[in-house]
Amino acid sequence: MLYKLYGQQDIKWRNKELAPGYSCANYGCLVTSLCMGLPNLGINILPDDFIDLAKSRKGIAQSGEFIAQFDWDALPRMFGKVKMFKRMTT
């Protein structure tokens, strides 16, 4: 399988806001990483479309740093194929 590489500085989405004051250029590493890994699950999405979808499914809080405010439980709401497992600690 060939993987597409996405950079948060790409001109197509670098200015896309994750939350007010938080652009993909500065805080988009999680978004671009997920967009590179999701094709393993048969989900092909560009970072700017991912941001729009996450916002529409309440996956991104509208304030605060994106990584800290991303709701991992939103992934199944965004992509029905994705199942989330709870991390277990011993």
Side-chain angles (χ1 to χ4, degrees), residues 26-51:
N26 295 323
Y27 295 91
C29 55
L30 176 62
V31 169
T32 53
S33 296
L34 284 170
C35 290
M36 288 186 284
L38 285 170
N40 289 310
L41 301 174
I43 300 166
N44 295 296
I45 189 165
L46 294 171
D48 55 341
D49 295 329
F50 182 96
I51 294 166

Side-chain angles (χ1 to χ4, degrees), residues 18-90:
L18 304 165
Y22 295 88
S23 70
C24 188
N26 295 323
Y27 295 91
C29 55
L30 176 62
V31 169
T32 53
S33 296
L34 284 170
C35 290
M36 288 186 284
L38 285 170
N40 289 310
L41 301 174
I43 300 166
N44 295 296
I45 189 165
L46 294 171
D48 55 341
D49 295 329
F50 182 96
I51 294 166
D52 290 339
L53 184 60
K55 285 180 177 179
S56 73
R57 303 285 167 86
K58 300 185 191 264
I60 299 176
Q62 292 304 302
S63 63
E65 188 172 331
F66 176 69
I67 294 173
Q69 298 297 320
F70 182 75
D71 179 5
W72 287 96
D73 292 326
L75 283 175
R77 290 193 305 267
M78 294 167 63
F79 311 103
K81 304 176 186 183
V82 176
K83 302 279 190 260
M84 297 301 294
F85 295 94
K86 299 293 180 193
R87 187 181 336 169
M88 306 270 306
T89 57
T90 57

